Amino acid sequence: MTQADLSTHWAGVSLSSCIVNASGAWCSTFAELMDLTESTSGAVLTKSATLYPRKGNLEPRYFQWTYGSINSMGLPNLGIDFYLDFIRSQGAKKPIFLSLAAMNPEELSKLLQRLRKLDFPVVTELNLSCPNLIGKPQLAYDFSCVEEILKKVFDFYEFPLGVKLPPYFDTIHFEEMAELLNCFPLKFVTCINSPGNALFVDPQTESVVIKPKEGFGGIGGPCIKPIALANVNKFFKLLKSDIQLIGCGGVSSGQDIFEHILCGASLVQVGTQLMKEGPGVFERLQEELCVILDRKSYTSIEEFRGKLKSLG
Ligand code: RRO
């Protein structure tokens, strides 16, 4: 068997593998970030960082079942300074990308000012889609708010930046959001964050399974794959060609990754399955993807990326 080339680029940075963690999965603490650094993931992406550390919502706040997971973590993280120190301390071992989340525009501007002062550029995934902040809406469902934020950001910020979006379900929303995003020098768009405010019910206990928000939370895992693929493919078709698509949602096998790439993803993030299986998941997924590529005589992901066929 020949070994297919799984390498890719993310915002101009070369990665040896197109499979990385999703922000939020196994990437909050020093120990978790070290596990990812030592795994075969193509890069490390941090938990979304805020200006100051946050404890997040009350526990239990994460639950998984065969077909998915539900979470209402509430953005627990160790604060921007911790994640920047981690990136600095790791040097060039493996590309490390930063996820950022802000509670308000002032906080975002302070976070970006902090990044601007660094003597090295940090590629940043700006999270516009956390579904679990009590009393706060998901930013990217408010289109004029996204436009306002991106105008402010690109007024002064020049390091590579992309955004993570929630899922959309209507053609007009795909079109309007793509038109808006096409006005900015974004390097990438990540589709999708967890579909928000879902509910898992345990019929045995006749109860919800997580404590915050009366059991409502964002869902991940196999049950969201068709929604994720639809968002990747729609935005792949609608965004200008210099904005890369990053696929996230429903990845637990090499075949899932193959499907995301076929829909247009340049790399693919793993969340729920990483939480279930631990960082050994990357090696298994790489092997499974290589077997598929080999069977189809593809030698690299670029040979089939975005080439999903329509019927007639
Ligand atoms: O921490 C969370 O509750 C969380 C975040 Br920031 C996010 O972007 N997506 C998610 O499912 N949970």
Side-chain angles (χ1 to χ4, degrees):
M1 187 178 111
T2 52
Q3 197 74 352
D5 176 13
L6 301 186
S7 68
T8 191
H9 286 84
W10 186 0
V13 179
S14 299
L15 309 194
S16 60
S17 162
C18 61
I19 312 169
V20 307
N21 68 292
S23 177
W26 213 287
C27 58
S28 297
T29 64
F30 182 82
E32 289 172 340
L33 289 164
M34 282 310 293
D35 286 345
L36 291 181
T37 306
E38 285 156 14
S39 77
T40 62
S41 73
V44 176
L45 175 62
T46 70
K47 170 71 182 169
S48 295
T50 48
L51 195 54
Y52 301 108
R54 285 173 54 89
K55 285 196 162 64
N57 296 339
L58 292 177
E59 296 183 3
R61 55 192 185 182
Y62 183 86
F63 176 87
Q64 57 195 24
W65 72 98
T66 315
Y67 304 111
S69 66
I70 184 164
N71 86 84
S72 183
M73 305 300 288
L75 201 37
N77 76 93
L78 297 172
I80 184 71
D81 290 333
F82 168 81
Y83 296 104
L84 290 181
D85 283 348
F86 181 81
I87 294 173
R88 217 176 271 117
S89 73
Q90 293 306 299
K93 275 186 213 160
K94 184 186 263 191
I96 306 178
F97 294 74
L98 180 73
S99 170
L100 269 196
M103 306 304 285
N104 52 56
E106 294 69 42
E107 181 174 348
L108 179 59
S109 145
K110 282 185 188 158
L111 284 163
L112 293 174
Q113 296 289 4
R114 189 82 56 108
L115 299 190
R116 263 181 96 204
K117 291 201 185 107
L118 298 173
D119 46 13
F120 53 96
V122 178
V123 178
T124 299
E125 183 183 88
L126 180 60
N127 187 352
L128 297 178
S129 46
C130 177
N132 303 322
L133 297 173
I134 294 166
K136 290 207 179 262
Q138 288 168 81
L139 276 180
Y141 284 137
D142 181 339
F143 288 36
S144 55
C145 180
V146 172
E147 188 171 15
E148 210 175 300
I149 289 173
L150 292 180
K151 270 187 186 153
K152 276 195 188 139
V153 166
F154 288 112
D155 238 12
F156 73 97
Y157 191 73
E158 285 173 351
F159 283 173
L161 189 102
V163 290
K164 184 163 183 181
L165 297 178
Y168 298 100
F169 300 93
D170 197 286
T171 307
I172 191 76
H173 295 153
F174 287 123
E175 288 171 355
E176 283 180 5
M177 181 49 71
E179 194 181 339
L180 193 167
L181 297 174
N182 278 337
C183 297
F184 296 97
L186 287 163
K187 296 286 185 226
F188 63 93
V189 168
T190 305
C191 297
I192 55 172
N193 207 324
S194 326
N197 294 301
L199 188 61
F200 187 91
V201 172
D202 182 342
Q204 216 76 45
T205 58
E206 304 180 10
S207 167
V208 302
V209 291
I210 54 172
K211 185 166 182 138
K213 294 175 71 174
E214 299 184 309
F216 286 71
I219 47 167
C223 63
I224 70 163
K225 188 176 74 171
I227 300 170
L229 294 177
N231 276 260
V232 168
N233 194 238
K234 270 288 181 199
F235 280 110
F236 177 71
K237 289 173 174 161
L238 292 169
L239 289 174
K240 53 189 183 183
S241 61
D242 54 356
I243 302 182
Q244 283 186 297
L245 256 296
I246 313 294
C248 182
V251 171
S252 54
S253 69
Q255 184 188 308
D256 300 326
I257 296 168
F258 183 79
E259 292 171 13
H260 266 275
I261 297 171
L262 208 51
C263 287
S266 291
L267 72 136
V268 178
Q269 301 178 344
V270 189
T272 299
Q273 191 61 31
L274 168 59
M275 296 298 287
K276 273 191 186 158
E277 197 174 328
V281 72
F282 295 107
E283 205 171 337
R284 176 178 67 78
L285 294 175
Q286 280 154 10
E287 281 167 13
E288 289 179 8
L289 183 58
C290 276
V291 169
I292 295 172
L293 267 55
D294 204 53
R295 209 172 56 223
K296 290 173 171 281
S297 301
Y298 289 129
T299 57
S300 77
I301 68 168
E302 281 309 310
E303 287 170 18
F304 62 97
R305 187 174 64 82
K307 300 206 171 135
L308 180 67
K309 294 175 199 156
S310 299
L311 302 181

